[in-house]
Amino acid sequence: MRSLNSILELSVVELDGLIATARDIIAHPENYWDKCAHRKLATLFFEPSTRTRLSFEAAMLELGGSVIGFSEASSSSAAKGESVADTARMVSCYADIIAMRHPREGAPYVASRAATVPVINAGDGGHNHPTQTLADLLTISREMGRLDNLTIGLCGDLKYGRTVHSLIEAMSRYKGIRFVLISPQELRIPGFIRYNVFENQGIPYTEVSSLEEAMPELDVLYMTRIQRERFDDPWEYERLKDSYVLDTEKMKLAKEKMCVLHPLPRVNEISVGVDNDPRAAYFRQALNGKYMRMALILMLLEEARQDPEKEAIDTEGLEYDRVCRNPKCISQVEQELPQLFRCTDRAADIHRCIYCEQRA
Ligand code: NCD
């Protein structure tokens, strides 16, 4: 049995397999109508969501299954002080699979260690969002006809934008990918992506601040919202919130064959005038998310049926004698959770928290 915490837990072969299943669901939905009959998905959303929660629910319903759950922490026992681990363990008694969104980084991972059913990370703080990446991959594949040899521009809040982190991790494993990172200085990509992906793997990237200058070379433009809820200082958000606005004038600088993605919700960063441009793929991307979540639910439930045993933790290089300094990490609040670090670079003496991946 496997959970999904990070997109890196899926190999490229598995990603391609999920895309193939999603395409088959699109072509023959009737073949999938009762694949999950009598199975239940629990959606545990401790943070607001429209698309992710509804697309998980629609995915399970279209597979013939049912859905239970809650959409805000205040209506769950978290409001009484229940730990994430206890919630996950208890919900495993009622559901066959769990999708969890949480403001604390690493919370779904903690849930997956305690649950006896697969747990899917539906977004953890500013860390990861692997199922949005599944939607992004199917969209790029359908819009561009390929997932390799692409120049991908990521624009906006690259620091707190969890969808950006998971998308970079996924795309860096395809051939001929180059990234153009477009952001204000204050919202540049965090260390766990910068070192793990770009520097360690030698993936080509440039960091710029002008969207106009980057535009002509891009095959994919991934716009993001400035993540107001993750800022400690509200004035910093006010100063940065309108850093980038994609409008019809800027679209004139783009290649004829390119696509614009956005995980949504948008605030100001794409003007509605762009919506009618055939290159605007963000609403199609939301639909693709449902098909990929269907494919993922099918895969994880089938794996759990064949092998109900949980994967053992890889203890190689684990260390206990440090303290995580990330105030948003689940290890700061979860009852009796051991502080655990993995050495990711011996030579440079880099240790990362196993929950949030921040450096000790
Ligand atoms: C994203 C998220 O929650 O991180 N939304 C989504 O899941 N589609 C992006 C965002 O909130 O800006």
Side-chain angles (χ1 to χ4, degrees):
M1 181 186 89
R2 253 204 306 181
S3 289
L4 180 68
N5 286 294
S6 153
I7 198 72
L8 292 175
E9 292 161 7
L10 295 170
S11 68
V12 171
V13 171
E14 286 170 330
L15 291 175
D16 293 343
L18 288 171
I19 291 173
T21 305
R23 286 180 178 272
D24 193 57
I25 295 171
I26 295 167
H28 308 287
E30 66 285 356
N31 291 351
Y32 293 84
W33 283 344
D34 53 10
K35 289 266 186 214
C36 286
H38 312 296
R39 315 304 296 278
K40 274 171 281 161
L41 163 75
T43 52
L44 312 185
F45 277 64
F46 295 86
E47 212 186 37
S49 169
T50 307
R51 258 151 307 277
T52 306
R53 186 171 59 82
L54 294 186
S55 73
F56 263 114
E57 296 189 1
M60 193 54 167
L61 295 177
E62 287 186 31
L63 291 167
S66 4
V67 183
I68 55 175
F70 53 82
S71 55
E72 38 185 288
S74 59
S75 61
S76 79
S77 284
K80 301 181 187 167
E82 186 171 54
S83 68
V84 166
D86 281 1
T87 304
R89 195 164 169 185
M90 186 271 305
V91 172
S92 304
C93 304
Y94 306 137
D96 302 285
I97 187 162
I98 295 172
M100 175 182 281
R101 167 169 290 192
H102 202 284
R104 290 259 163 202
E105 302 179 7
Y109 176 67
V110 170
S112 72
R113 298 311 317 166
T116 52
V117 298
V119 176
I120 302 171
N121 178 359
D124 62 325
H127 183 215
N128 281 335
H129 194 345
T131 64
Q132 178 62 46
T133 300
L134 296 179
D136 304 341
L137 294 183
L138 179 59
T139 308
I140 296 171
S141 152
R142 293 182 85 187
E143 300 287 322
M144 302 304 290
R146 64 184 193 279
L147 283 169
D148 52 9
N149 298 309
L150 294 165
T151 297
I152 302 177
L154 297 134
C155 177
D157 189 345
L158 310 188
K159 179 177 179 188
Y160 298 119
R162 55 193 173 193
T163 65
V164 168
H165 307 156
S166 295
L167 182 60
I168 291 175
E169 288 181 331
M171 290 307 301
S172 65
R173 295 187 298 167
Y174 288 87
K175 277 202 208 80
I177 299 295
R178 210 166 65 78
F179 293 99
V180 183
L181 308 177
I182 310 152
S183 76
Q185 183 73 22
E186 296 85 341
L187 297 178
R188 285 163 69 174
I189 210 84
F192 80 94
I193 296 290
R194 185 178 301 277
Y195 301 113
N196 292 359
V197 180
F198 295 129
E199 296 184 5
N200 279 354
Q201 299 177 41
I203 307 288
Y205 75 104
T206 49
E207 290 187 287
V208 300
S209 55
S210 160
L211 174 57
E212 286 88 334
E213 275 172 33
M215 204 69 172
E217 57 172 329
L218 303 179
D219 300 307
V220 176
L221 171 59
Y222 197 92
M223 294 296 296
T224 62
R225 172 177 74 88
I226 309 290
Q227 307 277 299
R228 184 179 54 186
E229 65 277 30
R230 314 247 179 259
F231 280 74
D232 294 325
D233 175 1
W235 293 109
E236 173 96 332
Y237 169 73
E238 287 303 318
R239 194 166 60 75
L240 295 171
K241 69 179 184 189
D242 291 326
S243 297
Y244 300 98
V245 180
L246 180 65
D247 55 19
T248 49
E249 277 308 299
K250 292 197 190 83
M251 283 301 284
K252 290 184 187 153
L253 303 168
K255 288 184 185 170
E256 217 170 290
K257 177 86 185 135
M258 67 89 87
C259 61
V260 181
L261 272 63
H262 189 309
L264 303 174
R266 74 170 146 194
V267 184
N268 276 331
E269 57 281 352
I270 303 182
S271 90
V272 288
V274 177
D275 296 358
N276 293 330
D277 189 308
R279 294 168 292 186
Y282 30 91
F283 290 111
R284 296 192 285 279
Q285 184 183 357
L287 176 61
N288 288 332
K290 181 186 71 178
Y291 297 124
M292 285 303 267
R293 289 181 176 106
M294 289 171 83
L296 178 68
I297 291 170
L298 284 172
M299 185 183 105
L300 294 181
L301 282 179
E302 180 53 22
E303 283 185 8
R305 192 186 64 78
Q306 287 184 11
D307 179 7
E309 280 301 301
K310 239 191 290 196
E311 282 194 322
I313 301 185
D314 172 12
T315 50
E316 169 89 30
L318 274 192
E319 297 186 9
Y320 299 78
D321 56 344
R322 291 161 204 264
V323 177
C324 182
R325 287 171 300 174
N326 174 8
K328 293 173 180 158
C329 178
I330 186 66
S331 67
Q332 306 284 356
V333 292
E334 189 76 357
Q335 195 189 8
E336 292 173 35
L337 195 64
Q339 296 269 341
L340 281 175
F341 291 81
R342 195 179 299 283
C343 180
T344 54
D345 188 333
R346 269 276 160 234
D349 195 32
I350 294 177
H351 297 78
R352 295 193 178 277
C353 170
I354 64 159
Y355 308 108
C356 68
E357 291 184 87
Q358 258 201 35
R359 206 175 155 175

